[in-house]
Amino acid sequence: MEKETVRIEGFSDAVFAIAITLLVLDLHAPDATVVKNGAELLSYLKNEWTAYLAFTLSFFSIFIMWVNHHKIFKQIYSRNTAIMFSNGLILFLVTAVSYPTALLARFFEGEASNIAVAIYTGIFVLINISYNLLWLVASNNKKLLRPGITDSAIKKIRNNYLYGFPTYLIAFGISFKYPAAALAISMLLLIYWAVSSGKINMIEE
């Protein structure tokens, strides 16, 4: 069976690459007229730790999203309008990650940290929904999937994406009162998705 999703995957790869590159634009070097010596430079860099944290979290989040996107399209061989639009929703949300990343970098240490973290975790709730939607659309018609995929494999992939959803909701919910804890949950979710992408690979094999 010829794979019909090559153009979708190529376009998606380009969008992921642009989205991950945009993150670095929020990292700024200090003005040479303000920083006069090494001690002042170190002090500046230390004060920018939230920017580095936000960049690192978002970089690896988008990277792992790309890995999972690649794995899920290993299972999808054909496309229809619904798949194209549900994939477009994923790409729309991925390109938007840079904005909540900037908010997190600038406001995590201040009184607005709860709102910044809520917006940051909120977009990942939406991204998780979009991945679930893509697989729901694809798996509803087995003819769209790779030849030989079993009903058990389809169910395992579905459950894999569904399991992450309540955790994202918990992170979003507690971010209004415990933003640091919500961010810690986001870090744990990165590990979960890194491991779960391996599970999808095992299903493929």
Side-chain angles (χ1 to χ4, degrees), residues 137-196:
V137 168
S139 60
N140 271 344
N141 184 353
K142 203 171 179 180
K143 293 180 180 179
L144 297 173
L145 304 179
R146 68 176 172 86
I149 190 170
T150 64
D151 292 336
S152 175
I154 292 171
K155 184 178 179 180
K156 285 179 181 179
I157 296 172
R158 180 197 67 194
N159 291 340
N160 181 60
Y161 287 108
L162 284 175
Y163 291 157
F165 181 66
T167 312
Y168 278 110
L169 279 181
I170 290 170
F172 174 72
I174 69 173
S175 61
F176 293 96
K177 193 169 184 180
Y178 305 105
L183 209 58
I185 292 174
S186 295
M187 295 179 188
L188 292 175
L189 281 167
L190 285 179
I191 299 173
Y192 169 79
W193 287 120
V195 173
S196 68

Side-chain angles (χ1 to χ4, degrees), residues 12-199:
S12 299
D13 286 347
V15 173
F16 273 100
I18 292 170
I20 211 168
T21 303
L22 288 175
L23 296 175
V24 78
L25 298 180
D26 204 51
L27 298 180
H28 303 290
D31 192 328
T33 61
V34 176
V35 174
K36 302 295 185 181
N37 53 54
E40 290 181 356
L41 177 59
L42 287 175
S43 177
Y44 175 88
L45 295 176
K46 181 181 178 181
N47 290 334
E48 291 290 297
W49 72 271
T50 56
Y52 308 139
L53 174 65
F55 170 78
T56 302
L57 273 176
S58 294
F59 180 93
F60 284 104
S61 293
I62 293 178
F63 174 73
I64 292 172
M65 281 188 280
W66 172 75
V67 171
N68 277 277
H69 187 273
H70 173 70
K71 298 297 183 183
I72 205 170
F73 268 95
K74 284 287 187 179
Q75 313 303 322
I76 302 173
Y77 265 52
S78 298
R79 74 318 183 234
N80 57 21
T81 301
I83 283 180
M84 294 176 73
F85 274 92
S86 56
N87 185 68
L89 177 61
I90 291 175
L91 300 182
F92 167 74
L93 293 169
V94 167
T95 56
V97 168
S98 61
Y99 182 66
T101 300
L103 293 178
L104 182 67
R106 296 175 192 177
F107 298 106
F108 183 62
E109 281 193 294
E111 295 181 3
S113 62
N114 58 338
I115 301 301
V117 174
I119 295 172
Y120 187 79
T121 55
I123 196 166
F124 289 107
V125 172
L126 297 177
I127 289 172
N128 181 261
I129 291 173
S130 68
Y131 270 86
N132 278 290
L133 176 63
L134 174 63
W135 186 245
L136 175 65
V137 168
S139 60
N140 271 344
N141 184 353
K142 203 171 179 180
K143 293 180 180 179
L144 297 173
L145 304 179
R146 68 176 172 86
I149 190 170
T150 64
D151 292 336
S152 175
I154 292 171
K155 184 178 179 180
K156 285 179 181 179
I157 296 172
R158 180 197 67 194
N159 291 340
N160 181 60
Y161 287 108
L162 284 175
Y163 291 157
F165 181 66
T167 312
Y168 278 110
L169 279 181
I170 290 170
F172 174 72
I174 69 173
S175 61
F176 293 96
K177 193 169 184 180
Y178 305 105
L183 209 58
I185 292 174
S186 295
M187 295 179 188
L188 292 175
L189 281 167
L190 285 179
I191 299 173
Y192 169 79
W193 287 120
V195 173
S196 68
S197 65
K199 291 180 180 178

